[in-house]
C-alpha cells in the first residue's frame, strides 16, 4: 500500500498516534481560551445588537408615522419626494440604511441609490400582514440588524413598508476595541500549549510510524466509489482526460488493462467512438455504444469545479444488451396489440358474411401472415345454423402479398377428409395447430399431393390453422401461411392467431344471424306486398321494390281498384328494419285495404288510419284497441298496444292517391311522406304541392287533400324517401336526379322504373326503396252515358228505357234486363228518399257500372222484408243481381253504385223470382 500511494509525509499526521495526542492537547487549550473569549464577545455583541434593534425600530416607527408619508407614496414618483427625507432621517438616527418600500418590498428609497427599484430580500410577509418586527438579517446587500414597520393609512390599509437597520460590522465596533487584548492573551496561551504538544508528538511519531492524511483520503475515495457503484461501471477522468478511477464493473465492460489509471483516455484501447466521448467531456444521457458484442449505455456528467477550474468527468455505464432484446420483444407485443385493435375496428364493419371474412384476411396480411385463406361452412354462408359436420367447406376469402399463388381460389369447396391434416386436427381439437415446416406435414400432403407439391414449390413453408369458433360452434376456419421470405411461425404466434380469429368469428356469426333474419324479413316482406297487380283500365302500372342491404325495412306500395273504374295508388314507409318493420307494414297495408272499401276520400282515409294507429298504441285499450284495426285477430308480435317504443306504429308515413279515369281527376293526401312526381305528356316533370301532414300515429292535426286535373297520358310516380335520400346524398340532389330520369318520353312504365333505379340506385342503399309508376288513361266518351233525373217518379221509366237503349248500343243485351232492374230500384230510391240533383251514369269498363247520385247523405240499408211487408225488397234484389254494390259519399251527397259483368257468362246470376219492372218501381226500400 505504501509503495503504491507514495512516501509518507514528514509532518504530523492526524491519523497517527502522535497526531491524535497533539490534536487532543491543542483542542483542550483552544476550547478553554475560546470559551473565555467568546463569553465576553457574545455579551458585548448582545448588548450592542439589542441597542441596534431598539434604535432601528424607533426610527422606523417614527418615519412610518411621519406626516405626508402616505400622500408621498400615492404620488406618481414617490422616490423623488421621499429619498431626501429618508436620508435626513437616517443620518439623524445614525443608521446605516433607511428604505421606504412597497408592500411587496420594492424600494422607493435607500442609502444606496443603485438598490432603488430592487426588491428587498428576506421575509417581509410579517410586515405586509401588519406586524412591526426586528431581525438579524443575513444576505444581500449586507448583513444587518433590521427593523421593518408597515405604513398604514387612516383606514388601516397598508400602503408601504419602512425598513431601517445597522450593519452587523458596525454593531460589533465595541467588541472589536477589546479584541486585541483578548486575542493576545489567547494566542500566548495557545502557543505554549501547542509547543508542548509538538514536543510530545514528535517523540511519538518516531515510535508509531503513522500514516499520512493524503493516503487515507485516496483510499477512502476509492473504497466509497466502488461501494456505491457496484451495479454499474464507474469511470472518473481528471481535467487532463486521464483515468483516475475505474471500478471492477467498468474494467469488465470496457476491458481495461490493470494499469489503466493515469493513462490518457486515448491510450486505454477503447472503441474510437467511446474514446471520443470521454475526450470531449460533453454531457450525455443513455447514449448507446458498441463495445465488442455488448451494447453499453453511457451517462457522462462533469464534476463540481474548484476555484472556477474544471476538475474532471464522471461516467457511468451499464450493459443494455439484454434490455435491447427485451425491448425488441416488447415492440413485437405492441405491434400485435395494435393489430388486434385494428382487427376490432376493421373486422365486422358490415353485416355481410363474405365481406367480414375478407376483412379478416386484409387485417392479417402482411403484418402477421403472407397469405390468409378463410373457409366457411355452406349453412353459415346461407345464414343457417351449422349442422356440426365440417368435412366440407367453401373458400370465402383469400388475401396474399402476391397476386399469383398455388392456393385454391375463392368459391372452391375445401374438404378435410384426411384426419391428420392440420386443418382437420384444428377443427377436431377446437384450437390452433402450428406447422412450422410444411414439408413435414404428411397428412396435408396426402390429402392433395399435387396441390401440396405446388405450394411447397411456390415457397409456402409454415402454417397456422385456426378454427372459427363462436358460441362453441364451428363456423369454418382460417389458415395463415408464410412463404420463404418470412420467418416460420412459432409457438408464440398460436395465441395471437386464436385471438385474432376469435374476434373475426364473432363478427361472422353476427353477420350469419343477420343474414338469417334478413332472409326471413325479406320473405315476410314479399309475402305481404302485392304479388300481382290488378289489370285496370284507369292506369298502366309498373313497380319496383328493393330491400336495404342493411336490413329489410317497412316500405310498401299497393294498387287498389275502387268503384266507378277508379283506382287508389298507395306508398308508405315504416321507420325501422327487420321483422318488426315488415309485420308493421303488413298491418298498415291491411288497414288501408279495409278503409278503401269504404270509398273514403284520401284525407279522411288517412285520418281514420291515424286514429286506428293511435288506438292500437294506447295501453289502456289493450287488445281491444288492436282488434279495432285488425279485426280482433291474434297478436302477431307487432303492435300490441302495450305502449312500448319498439312495438309502436308511430313513425309510419303514407301517400294515398285516387284517380278517376272518367273525368281525369286525381285527389291525393299524404302523412309525412314525400309527394308524388307528375310527368306530363310533353316530358315536363312536376312535383305538385300536396300538404305534408304529420306522420301516422302522431295525431292532433287533420290531413288535407289536394285535387288535380290530369291530362290523359300523365304519369304518376310514387316513391319512398330511400330512392332520393341517403347518407351520401341529400333529398334535393336526389329529386334533381329523379327529374332527369323521368324527363325522357316514349317509355313504358316498366322501362321508366328500370331507368330511374339505374340513375338513382346506390351500390348499397341504406333504406328500402319502393317505386310505383302509373300511366293514367281516360275512359272514352262513348263508354260513358249519363242523365239528369228530375224528382218525378214518372221519370223512372224514361231513364230506364234510355239505359236499355244505351246497353243495346254497347251490345250488352244479355244483361239489359238485370241492368234495367237495378236502375229502376236505385232511381226510385233516389227520387223517394234522396234530394236533387239526381244523376244517373253508366260506365262500360271491364264491368258495367251503374251509378245514381243525389244530394242526400242518407244511405240505404239492406234488410230482409217479411212476407207480409209491402216493401223493403228493392235493395235486396239489387244485392242479389249485382256483382258488387255500395255507397260512397261526395261533398254534396252520395253515390250508390252497382257493378255487373258484361255478359251473363262472366258470372252466374241468382235464380230468384222477378216481378214486373213497373211493379218494382212501387216497392219501398
Amino acid at each position: 500500500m505504501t509503495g503504491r500511494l507514495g512516501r509518507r509525509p514528514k509532518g504530523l499526521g492526524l491519523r497517527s498516534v502522535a497526531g491524535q495526542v497533539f490534536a487532543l492537547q491543542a483542542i483542550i487549550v483552544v476550547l478553554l481560551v475560546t470559551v473565555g473569549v467568546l463569553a465576553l464577545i457574545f455579551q458585548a455583541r448582545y448588548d450592542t445588537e439589542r441597542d441596534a434593534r431598539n434604535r432601528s425600530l424607533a426610527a422606523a416607527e417614527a418615519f412610518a408615522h411621519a406626516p405626508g408619508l402616505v400622500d408621498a407614496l400615492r404620488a406618481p414618483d414617490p422616490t423623488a419626494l421621499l429619498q431626501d427625507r429618508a436620508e435626513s432621517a437616517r443620518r439623524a438616527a445614525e443608521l446605516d440604511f433607511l428604505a421606504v418600500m412597497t408592500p411587496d418590498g420594492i424600494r422607493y428609497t435607500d442609502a444606496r441609490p443603485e438598490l432603488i427599484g430592487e426588491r428587498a430580500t428576506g421575509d417581509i410577509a410579517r410586515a405586509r400582514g401588519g406586524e412591526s418586527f426586528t431581525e438579524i438579517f443575513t444576505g444581500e446587500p449586507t448583513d444587518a440588524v433590521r427593523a421593518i414597520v408597515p405604513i398604514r393609512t387612516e383606514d388601516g390599509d397598508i400602503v408601504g413598508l419602512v425598513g431601517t437597520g445597522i450593519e452587523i460590522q458596525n454593531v460589533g465596533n465595541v467588541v472589536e476595541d477589546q479584541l486585541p487584548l483578548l486575542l493576545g492573551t489567547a494566542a500566548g496561551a495557545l502557543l505554549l500549549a501547542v509547543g508542548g504538544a509538538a514536543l510530545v508528538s514528535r517523540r511519538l511519531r518516531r515510535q508509531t510510524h503513522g500514516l499520512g492524511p493524503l493516503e487515507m483520503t485516496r483510499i477512502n475515495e476509492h473504497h466509497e466509489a466502488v461501494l456505491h457503484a457496484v451495479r454499474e461501471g464507474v469511470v472518473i477522468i481528471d481535467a487532463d482526460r486521464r483515468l483516475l478511477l475505474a471500478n471492477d464493473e467498468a474494467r469488465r465492460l470496457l476491458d481495461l488493462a490493470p494499469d489503466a489509471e493515469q493513462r490518457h483516455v486515448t491510450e486505454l484501447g477503447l472503441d474510437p467512438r467511446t474514446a471520443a466521448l470521454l475526450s470531449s467531456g460533453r454531457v450525455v444521457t443513455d447514449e448507446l455504444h458498441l463495445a465488442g458484442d455488448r451494447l453499453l449505455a453511457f451517462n457522462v456528467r462533469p464534476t463540481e469545479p474548484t476555484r472556477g477550474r474544471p476538475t474532471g468527468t464522471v461516467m457511468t455505464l451499464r450493459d443494455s444488451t439484454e434490455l435491447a432484446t427485451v425491448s425488441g420483444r416488447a415492440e413485437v407485443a405492441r405491434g400485435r396489440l395494435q393489430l388486434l385493435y385494428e382487427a376490432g375496428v376493421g373486422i365486422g364493419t358490415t353485416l355481410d358474411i363474405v365481406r367480414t371474412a375478407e376483412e379478416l384476411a386484409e387485417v392479417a396480411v402482411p403484418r402477421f401472415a403472407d397469405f390468409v385463406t378463410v373457409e366457411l361452412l355452406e349453412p353459415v354462408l346461407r345464414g343457417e345454423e351449422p349442422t356440426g359436420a365440417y368435412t366440407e367447406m367453401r373458400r370465402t376469402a383469400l388475401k396474399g402479398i402476391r397476386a399469383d399463388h398455388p392456393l385454391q381460389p375463392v368459391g372452391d369447396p375445401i374438404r378435410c377428409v384426411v384426419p391428420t391434416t392440420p386443418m382437420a386436427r384444428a377443427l377436431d381439437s377446437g384450437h390452433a395447430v402450428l406447422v412450422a415446416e410444411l414439408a413435414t406435414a404428411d397428412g396435408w400432403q396426402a390429402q392433395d399431393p399435387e396441390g401440396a407439391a405446388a405450394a411447397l414449390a411456390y415457397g409456402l413453408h409454415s402454417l397456422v390453422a385456426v378454427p372459427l369458433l363462436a358460441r362453441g360452434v364451428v363456423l369454418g376456419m382460417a389458415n395463415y401461411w408464410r412463404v420463404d421470405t418470412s420467418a416460420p411461425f412459432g409457438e408464440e404466434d398460436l395465441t395471437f392467431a386464436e385471438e385474432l380469429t376469435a374476434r373475426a368469428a364473432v363478427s361472422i356469426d353476427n353477420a350469419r344471424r343477420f343474414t338469417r333474419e334478413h332472409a326471413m324479413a325479406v320473405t315476410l316482406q314479399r309475402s305481404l306486398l302485392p304479388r300481382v297487380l290488378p289489370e285496370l283500365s284507369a292506369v298502366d302500372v309498373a313497380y319496383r321494390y328493393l330491400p336495404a342491404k342493411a336490413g329489410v325495412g317497412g316500405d310498401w306500395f299497393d294498387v287498389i281498384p275502387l268503384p266507378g273504374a277508379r283506382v287508389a295508388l298507395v306508398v308508405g314507409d315504416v321507420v325501422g328494419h327487420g321483422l318488426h318493420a315488415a309485420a308493421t307494414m303488413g298491418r298498415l297495408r291491411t288497414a288501408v285495404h279495409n278503409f278503401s272499401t269504404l270509398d273514403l276520400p284520401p284525407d279522411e282515409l288517412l285520418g281514420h288510419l291515424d286514429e286506428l294507429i293511435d288506438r292500437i298504441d294506447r295501453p289502456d285499450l289493450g287488445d281491444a284497441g288492436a282488434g279495432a284495426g285488425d279485426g280482433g285477430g291474434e297478436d302477431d308480435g307487432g303492435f300490441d298496444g302495450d305502449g312500448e317504443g319498439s312495438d309502436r306504429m308511430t313513425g309510419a308515413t303514407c301517400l294515398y292517391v285516387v284517380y278517376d279515369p272518367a273525368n281525369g281527376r286525381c285527389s291525393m293526401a299524404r302523412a309525412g311522406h314525400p309527394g308524388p312526381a307528375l310527368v306530363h305528356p310533353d316530358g315536363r316533370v312536376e312535383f305538385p304541392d300536396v300538404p305534408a301532414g304529420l306522420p301516422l300515429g302522431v295525431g292532433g292535426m287533420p290531413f288535407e287533400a289536394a285535387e288535380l286535373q290530369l291530362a290523359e297520358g300523365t304519369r304518376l310516380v310514387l316513391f319512398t324517401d330511400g330512392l332520393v335520400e341517403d347518407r351520401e346524398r341529400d333529398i334535393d340532389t336526389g329529386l334533381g336526379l329523379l327529374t332527369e330520369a323521368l324527363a325522357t318520353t316514349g317509355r313504358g312504365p316498366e322501362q321508366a322504373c328500370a331507368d330511374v333505379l339505374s340513375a338513382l340506385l346506390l351500390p348499397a342503399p341504406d333504406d328500402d326503396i319502393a317505386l310505383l309508376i302509373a300511366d293514367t288513361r281516360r275512359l272514352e266518351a262513348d263508354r260513358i252515358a249519363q242523365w239528369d233525373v228530375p224528382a218525378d217518379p214518372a221519370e223512372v221509366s224514361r231513364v230506364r228505357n234510355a239505359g236499355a237503349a244505351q246497353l243495346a248500343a254497347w251490345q250488352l243485351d244479355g244483361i239489359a234486363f238485370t241492368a234495367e232492374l237495378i236502375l229502376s230500384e236505385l232511381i226510385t230510391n233516389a227520387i223517394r228518399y234522396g234530394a236533387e240533383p239526381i244523376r244517373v251514369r253508366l260506365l262500360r269498363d271491364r264491368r258495367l257500372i251503374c251509378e245514381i247520385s243525389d244530394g242526400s247523405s242518407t244511405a240505404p240499408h239492406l234488410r230482409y222484408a217479411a212476407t207480409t211487408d209491402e216493401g223493403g225488397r228493392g235493395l235486396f234484389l239489387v244485392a242479389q243481381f249485382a256483382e258488387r254494390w255500395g255507397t260512397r259519399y261526395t261533398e254534396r251527397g252520395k253515390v250508390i253504385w252497382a257493378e255487373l259483368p258484361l255478359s251473363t257468362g262472366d258470372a252466374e246470376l241468382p235464380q230468384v223470382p222477378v216481378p214486373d219492372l213497373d211493379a218494382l218501381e212501387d216497392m219501398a226500400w
Side-chain angles (χ1 to χ4, degrees):
M1 179 67 70
T2 303
R4 190 178 170 192
L5 296 179
R7 298 178 60 186
R8 298 189 184 104
K10 295 181 179 180
L12 295 177
L14 294 180
R15 290 287 183 179
S16 65
V17 176
Q20 292 177 4
V21 173
F22 174 80
L24 182 60
Q25 292 177 342
I27 289 172
I28 293 174
V29 174
V30 169
L31 286 176
L32 292 175
V33 174
T34 303
V35 169
V37 174
L38 290 179
L40 294 175
I41 294 175
F42 287 156
Q43 182 62 42
R45 182 173 293 276
Y46 172 78
D47 295 337
T48 306
E49 286 182 358
R50 183 177 59 183
D51 178 71
R53 286 175 181 268
N54 294 336
R55 288 167 54 197
S56 299
L57 182 60
E61 289 282 0
F63 195 87
H65 294 85
L69 179 59
V70 174
D71 295 335
L73 290 176
R74 293 173 177 173
D77 188 3
T79 300
L81 298 177
L82 296 176
Q83 177 66 13
D84 293 337
R85 292 174 58 185
E87 281 300 294
S88 299
R90 180 185 68 81
R91 287 191 293 268
E94 296 182 354
L95 301 174
D96 290 327
F97 64 88
L98 188 153
V100 180
M101 301 172 285
T102 66
D104 294 331
I106 305 300
R107 295 181 178 91
Y108 285 136
T109 70
D110 198 275
R112 295 166 62 178
E114 66 272 13
L115 297 180
I116 295 176
E118 298 292 330
R119 184 182 300 274
T121 57
D123 182 14
I124 62 173
R126 295 163 57 192
R128 191 164 56 244
E131 178 184 355
S132 300
F133 67 95
T134 62
E135 64 176 355
I136 302 298
F137 172 78
T138 58
E140 295 296 334
T142 183
D143 299 342
V145 177
R146 182 173 73 172
I148 301 179
V149 176
I151 303 173
R152 298 178 182 271
T153 63
E154 295 180 356
D155 298 329
D157 298 332
I158 297 174
V159 296
L161 306 174
V162 176
T164 61
I166 300 173
E167 295 179 357
I168 294 296
Q169 62 182 4
N170 295 328
V171 171
N173 288 336
V174 176
V175 179
E176 291 176 358
D177 293 338
Q178 301 175 1
L179 281 180
L181 178 60
L182 295 175
L183 293 178
T185 303
L190 184 60
L191 286 175
L192 288 176
V194 171
L199 291 176
V200 176
S201 297
R202 181 180 296 274
R203 185 175 183 85
L204 290 176
R205 184 184 67 83
R206 295 190 187 100
Q207 297 176 356
T208 58
H209 303 286
L211 296 174
L214 182 59
E215 285 182 317
M216 299 304 301
T217 302
R218 291 183 60 188
I219 292 174
N220 182 68
E221 289 177 350
H222 285 206
H223 281 260
E224 288 293 322
V226 173
L227 180 65
H228 293 92
V230 291
R231 295 186 179 181
E232 288 188 344
V234 177
V235 175
I236 300 177
I237 308 296
D238 65 11
D240 297 328
R241 298 295 179 259
R242 294 185 177 277
L243 179 64
L244 292 181
L245 181 144
N247 68 348
D248 294 340
E249 182 69 8
R251 290 176 179 275
R252 183 183 69 84
L253 295 176
L254 296 176
D255 195 19
L256 297 177
D259 58 346
E261 278 90 349
Q262 299 303 321
R263 289 187 181 183
H264 196 274
V265 293
T266 58
E267 301 173 356
L268 298 177
L270 301 177
D271 177 81
R273 186 168 173 234
T274 304
L277 172 63
L278 297 180
S279 299
S280 66
R282 58 188 176 90
V283 176
V284 298
T285 300
D286 288 336
E287 184 172 303
L288 298 179
H289 290 257
L290 188 62
D293 58 349
R294 297 186 181 94
L295 190 63
L296 305 181
F298 285 83
N299 292 277
V300 180
R301 294 291 186 275
T303 58
E304 290 293 333
T306 301
R307 298 178 181 178
R309 299 171 61 185
T311 58
T313 303
V314 176
M315 179 182 68
T316 62
L317 61 154
R318 66 179 181 275
D319 190 352
S320 62
T321 306
E322 296 181 359
L323 179 61
T325 303
V326 174
S327 299
R329 293 177 181 175
E331 185 64 28
V332 173
R334 280 196 298 269
R336 294 288 172 84
L337 289 175
Q338 179 65 25
L339 188 57
L340 287 177
Y341 169 76
E342 294 178 7
V345 175
I347 299 177
T349 59
T350 68
L351 289 173
D352 182 81
I353 297 176
V354 175
R355 180 55 191 155
T356 304
E358 292 173 349
E359 289 171 343
L360 168 61
E362 291 170 357
V363 167
V365 175
R367 286 188 288 174
F368 178 66
D370 296 326
F371 285 89
V372 174
T373 58
V374 181
E375 292 83 46
L376 297 178
L377 299 173
E378 291 285 356
V380 174
L381 289 172
R382 296 192 297 269
E384 302 171 2
E385 285 284 348
T387 60
Y390 42 76
T391 57
E392 182 172 338
M393 294 174 284
R394 188 165 299 278
R395 180 147 292 169
T396 309
L398 191 156
K399 179 72 174 177
I401 59 175
R402 306 172 192 162
D404 61 314
H405 56 80
L407 301 172
Q408 290 179 255
V410 172
D412 274 15
I414 305 297
R415 297 177 177 86
C416 299
V417 294
V418 178
T420 57
T421 62
M423 296 78 172
R425 288 160 49 203
L427 293 172
D428 289 337
S429 65
H431 296 286
V433 172
L434 167 66
V435 182
E437 292 293 336
L438 278 174
T440 63
D442 297 333
W444 172 67
Q445 298 182 49
Q447 177 167 279
D448 183 9
E450 295 182 1
L456 292 174
Y458 181 79
L460 295 176
H461 64 85
S462 188
L463 165 69
V464 173
V466 188
L468 282 162
L469 291 173
R471 300 178 293 111
V473 178
V474 174
L475 306 177
M477 70 178 314
N479 297 308
Y480 303 92
W481 311 78
R482 283 184 178 174
V483 298
D484 50 11
T485 57
S486 302
F489 289 109
E491 293 293 336
E492 67 276 5
D493 295 317
L494 286 179
T495 303
F496 174 77
E498 286 188 333
E499 178 68 20
L500 179 62
T501 307
R503 298 194 179 198
V506 172
S507 298
I508 290 175
D509 190 52
N510 290 338
R512 179 194 63 79
R513 295 186 177 194
F514 171 79
T515 301
R516 180 182 60 183
E517 182 178 342
H518 185 271
M520 295 172 59
V522 168
T523 302
L524 176 62
Q525 181 85 332
R526 294 193 182 281
S527 68
L528 295 175
L529 288 172
R531 298 185 180 181
V532 179
L533 296 183
E535 295 184 5
L536 302 170
S537 302
V539 290
D540 182 15
V541 181
Y543 69 91
R544 294 289 188 277
Y545 171 76
L546 296 176
K549 294 294 184 182
V552 175
D555 290 17
W556 57 283
F557 66 91
D558 214 337
V559 178
I560 306 173
L562 297 179
R566 296 170 306 129
V567 63
L569 306 174
V570 193
V571 291
D573 186 4
V574 176
V575 174
H577 295 87
L579 292 173
H580 174 68
T584 302
M585 177 276 296
R587 301 185 73 180
L588 279 178
R589 179 170 176 255
T590 300
V592 171
H593 264 278
N594 290 338
F595 286 130
S596 67
T597 60
L598 301 177
D599 212 350
L600 299 173
D603 53 338
E604 293 186 23
L605 183 141
L606 292 181
H608 284 287
L609 192 62
D610 181 67
E611 182 182 359
L612 169 66
I613 293 176
D614 182 63
R615 286 176 57 80
I616 292 176
D617 284 339
R618 286 177 56 188
D620 57 329
L621 295 179
D623 292 337
D630 58 13
E634 62 177 327
D635 186 6
D636 61 0
F639 305 103
D640 55 7
D642 60 3
E644 295 296 327
S646 61
D647 293 334
R648 291 179 63 87
M649 284 192 185
T650 304
T653 64
C654 184
L655 171 63
Y656 189 83
V657 179
V658 176
Y659 173 67
D660 189 347
N663 52 25
R665 290 184 180 177
C666 179
S667 59
M668 59 188 71
R670 60 186 178 123
H673 198 86
L678 295 182
V679 184
H680 296 276
D682 59 359
R684 180 170 50 89
V685 180
E686 176 188 3
F687 294 92
D689 185 14
V690 181
L694 296 175
L696 298 173
V698 176
M701 295 294 291
F703 297 96
E704 300 182 49
E707 189 165 314
L708 306 174
Q709 184 70 36
L710 303 183
E712 185 174 6
T714 300
R715 176 168 290 171
L716 279 168
V717 181
L718 286 70
F719 53 88
T720 56
D721 57 358
L723 179 68
V724 295
E725 189 175 12
D726 194 85
R727 286 181 299 181
E728 301 177 1
R729 181 175 63 203
D730 58 41
I731 190 169
D732 292 333
T733 303
L735 291 176
L737 294 174
L738 179 62
T739 301
E740 296 176 2
L742 294 174
T744 304
T745 59
R747 301 172 299 176
E750 284 289 343
Q751 185 60 43
C753 284
D755 292 345
V756 168
L757 291 184
S758 177
L760 280 83
L761 186 62
L762 295 172
D766 295 327
D767 198 2
D768 291 11
I769 294 175
L771 174 64
L772 187 65
I773 296 182
D775 287 352
T776 61
R777 302 192 187 110
R778 295 285 290 272
L779 287 180
E780 296 85 349
D782 58 358
R783 299 173 63 182
I784 303 174
Q786 58 184 5
W787 301 274
D788 292 330
V789 181
D792 183 358
E795 292 293 321
V796 177
S797 298
R798 180 183 67 81
V799 177
R800 186 182 68 223
N801 293 333
Q806 183 63 57
L807 293 175
W810 286 339
Q811 298 180 355
L812 298 177
D813 297 324
I815 60 172
F817 177 79
T818 303
E820 290 181 50
L821 182 145
I822 291 175
L823 285 175
S824 295
E825 293 305 319
L826 296 181
I827 295 172
T828 300
N829 180 69
I831 292 175
R832 289 187 176 183
Y833 305 107
E836 293 186 309
I838 302 172
R839 175 170 294 177
V840 176
R841 186 171 72 166
L842 295 179
L843 302 176
R844 186 183 184 277
D845 191 30
R846 298 176 185 270
R847 298 285 187 271
L848 177 66
I849 303 169
C850 303
E851 295 182 346
I852 290 85
S853 61
D854 66 79
S856 172
S857 60
T858 302
H861 296 280
L862 178 66
R863 64 188 180 92
Y864 295 91
T867 56
T868 57
D869 291 343
E870 296 182 359
R873 299 179 178 84
L875 194 56
F876 175 78
L877 292 175
V878 172
Q880 291 294 313
F881 283 96
E883 189 175 62
R884 290 197 310 159
W885 75 278
T887 304
R888 71 173 180 269
Y889 293 93
T890 64
E891 294 181 357
R892 298 181 180 179
K894 66 179 181 297
V895 176
I896 302 177
W897 55 271
E899 292 185 358
L900 295 172
L902 296 182
S903 64
T904 56
D906 292 347
E908 183 179 353
L909 295 177
Q911 301 297 322
V912 295
V914 180
D916 181 75
L917 294 180
D918 292 330
L920 285 175
E921 296 172 5
D922 297 328
M923 297 175 64
W925 288 69

